[in-house]
Amino acid sequence: MKNIIVQKIKRIVLRKLDAFSGMFFPLEKTLKSMSERPFELLLELTNLCNAKCIFCPYQFQQRKIQFMSDEVFMKAVSDYCAMGGGSVGLTPIVGDALIDPQFLNRVRFLRKQPRIDRIFLTTNAILLNKFGIDEILNSGITSMAISTSGFDEASYLRIYQSNAYQQMKRNVYDLVKRNSERGGPLHITIAIRTDRPLKEVIADPDFKPILQYNPLIDFVWSYTTANGRITREMLPSGMRLRKLGVKKEPCVQTYNGPLVLPDGDVMICSCVAAVDAQKDLTIGNVLSDNLLNIWTNHKTKEFRKTFGTDQLNSTCQNCDMYRDLELYRTCEGRQRAKVNRMRSEGKQVSRAYDKIVPFMGG
């Protein structure tokens, strides 16, 4: 347990030191490269979930439940590959991608695209058995974060408000076991969201069979209010809420890559504050415009300029998930910019997956 905390602190310290050394490199050059094309593409296959986590604004979502059409999926992926491709994320703003009946077929299609390297998602793992563990491992997904309160049924029912604990536990065990037997083709992270001390969670008897396969463990320090939707009274005392920070420069989300919603709307941000923020955060629609044009259009450029001014939209003003441009002051950020430039020039570039990186969690 101490090692988990030490590793997380180490990642944060390394990140800060790396960003500090970045003062000797021109940030604007890096940002220019990131604004010329999306570094990654995020696809919300559905906004439906099979859990009602007490820390998630899914319970307050006003958007109608949708599943991404084949038309939207194919157009977004085609546009992305045409501009050089890269990584694809399948984590919804709220919801679980495994609920999409087409999930596995879509992952397989993505894997067949030469210009797509990494395919990643966060899931509650409740429906892994729906597709089959071996089928998941064969599909081409490169990394998966499994969101859970730990491996204690009472805790899971209290925090995830789901009766699927036993199924989730079996799925996670089967996944890490088969993944290990097959040489670890999938990078698995157990992402703990709990109100209990980490030491207690790690000691859960149900967790021990899973831990023997050495999945990466991550956890969060605090939880978002999701623009005031989640209040102090709604959470147990062991869950600390985040506080609003000063937003003097653009949020890093505005440079990473867009999120395509099931209806084709393109959002500049994918954090949970965006759950019903189409008016504030939509920069186009992939069915009516090219994804590259949307990412480079006037609206997107002007959106970034509103940070640090009184023109900033209300969603971003009240977002406690804001992060500054620290990432793009680091070696990792400059490497992303270099890769982006190469992909813009038509070169096919694939990046290896690093199991532990300074920007994982925290």
Side-chain angles (χ1 to χ4, degrees):
M1 188 274 293
K2 290 183 179 178
N3 185 55
I4 295 170
I5 296 176
V6 169
Q7 287 297 322
K8 185 159 187 119
I9 293 174
K10 180 180 178 181
R11 292 198 298 268
I12 294 172
V13 171
L14 288 174
R15 187 173 72 203
K16 298 296 182 184
L17 290 174
D18 194 357
F20 179 77
S21 66
M23 63 185 295
F24 299 105
F25 296 87
L27 178 61
E28 287 306 315
K29 179 181 178 181
T30 299
L31 296 182
K32 182 178 184 299
S33 295
M34 298 308 298
S35 64
E36 290 177 347
R37 64 174 302 279
F39 178 76
E40 61 188 19
L41 173 65
L42 307 177
L43 301 173
E44 184 179 76
L45 302 183
T46 182
N47 59 328
L48 177 63
C49 197
N50 47 6
K52 294 183 179 179
C53 305
I54 59 175
F55 57 83
C56 178
Y58 175 74
Q59 56 196 306
F60 304 112
Q61 179 179 217
Q62 298 298 309
R63 283 191 292 153
K64 68 178 181 179
I65 299 301
Q66 293 179 294
F67 290 86
M68 182 172 285
S69 68
D70 289 341
E71 182 183 15
V72 170
F73 177 79
M74 296 301 292
K75 176 61 163 54
V77 174
S78 175
D79 283 358
Y80 187 53
C81 291
M83 68 176 90
S87 300
V88 175
L90 301 176
T91 306
I93 298 176
V94 292
D96 197 285
L98 293 178
I99 296 175
D100 180 10
Q102 297 298 317
F103 172 77
L104 208 56
N105 290 334
R106 286 172 169 175
V107 172
R108 289 168 177 160
F109 179 82
L110 290 169
R111 177 46 58 223
K112 290 179 180 178
Q113 309 310 307
R115 292 188 177 276
I116 291 179
D117 51 6
R118 294 185 280 187
I119 306 170
F120 60 93
L121 81 153
T122 297
T123 174
N124 58 33
I126 291 173
L127 291 178
L128 284 177
N129 61 301
K130 169 185 173 183
F131 298 101
I133 299 301
D134 283 315
E135 285 73 14
I136 291 287
L137 293 173
N138 289 334
S139 67
I141 300 172
T142 53
S143 60
M144 179 183 295
I146 296 172
S147 175
T148 179
S149 62
F151 292 86
D152 169 77
E153 190 162 12
S155 170
Y156 192 79
L157 181 60
R158 183 177 69 253
I159 295 175
Y160 279 61
Q161 300 190 94
S162 167
N163 292 313
Y165 171 76
Q166 294 296 333
Q167 185 65 63
M168 181 277 295
K169 181 187 70 172
R170 287 192 296 270
N171 284 345
V172 175
Y173 174 76
D174 289 346
L175 181 70
V176 296
K177 180 176 182 293
R178 289 293 293 136
N179 191 56
S180 176
E181 292 170 349
R182 297 177 54 157
L186 178 64
H187 297 273
I188 302 169
T189 300
I190 307 298
I192 298 172
R193 311 292 184 251
T194 185
D195 62 340
R196 296 184 291 152
L198 189 59
K199 181 178 181 180
E200 180 180 325
V201 176
I202 298 299
D204 284 340
D206 285 353
F207 206 171
K208 291 182 180 179
I210 294 167
L211 289 172
Q212 69 176 316
Y213 293 103
N214 299 313
L216 187 64
I217 308 296
D218 197 20
F219 62 96
V220 296
W221 303 105
S222 57
Y223 297 82
T224 178
T225 68
N227 278 53
R229 295 177 178 87
I230 308 297
T231 65
R232 176 67 271 163
E233 293 73 26
M234 294 171 56
L235 299 181
S237 59
M239 288 182 161
R240 181 168 60 91
L241 284 174
R242 297 180 181 180
K243 296 181 179 179
L244 286 176
V246 179
K247 304 174 176 68
K248 293 184 178 180
E249 62 184 16
C251 178
V252 69
Q253 290 270 25
T254 67
Y255 282 99
N256 292 339
L259 170 73
V260 180
L261 299 182
D263 63 0
D265 277 349
V266 180
M267 308 275 281
I268 199 169
C269 175
S270 62
C271 76
V272 294
V275 60
D276 289 315
Q278 292 92 318
K279 179 181 177 182
D280 285 350
L281 304 176
T282 298
I283 53 176
N285 188 288
V286 75
L287 294 179
S288 59
D289 199 358
N290 182 278
L291 190 61
L292 180 59
N293 292 338
I294 295 172
W295 188 248
T296 58
N297 67 23
H298 178 76
K299 184 174 183 178
T300 303
K301 293 176 181 178
E302 292 302 307
F303 185 97
R304 297 182 182 118
K305 293 178 182 179
T306 61
F307 283 85
T309 75
D310 58 6
Q311 301 300 311
L312 186 63
N313 67 82
S314 61
T315 298
C316 293
Q317 285 178 9
N318 299 303
C319 179
D320 52 24
M321 294 188 72
Y322 164 85
R323 286 195 175 185
D324 62 21
L325 297 172
E326 179 183 65
L327 165 60
Y328 293 110
R329 294 184 172 92
T330 66
C331 291
E332 166 63 17
R334 292 189 293 277
Q335 179 62 26
R336 289 189 182 194
K338 179 181 178 180
V339 168
N340 243 21
R341 288 194 293 271
M342 294 173 69
R343 286 172 175 161
S344 293
E345 295 166 357
K347 299 176 182 176
Q348 186 170 324
V349 184
S350 293
R351 300 190 71 199
Y353 179 89
D354 295 323
K355 189 172 182 181
I356 300 179
V357 296
F359 290 90
M360 180 183 297

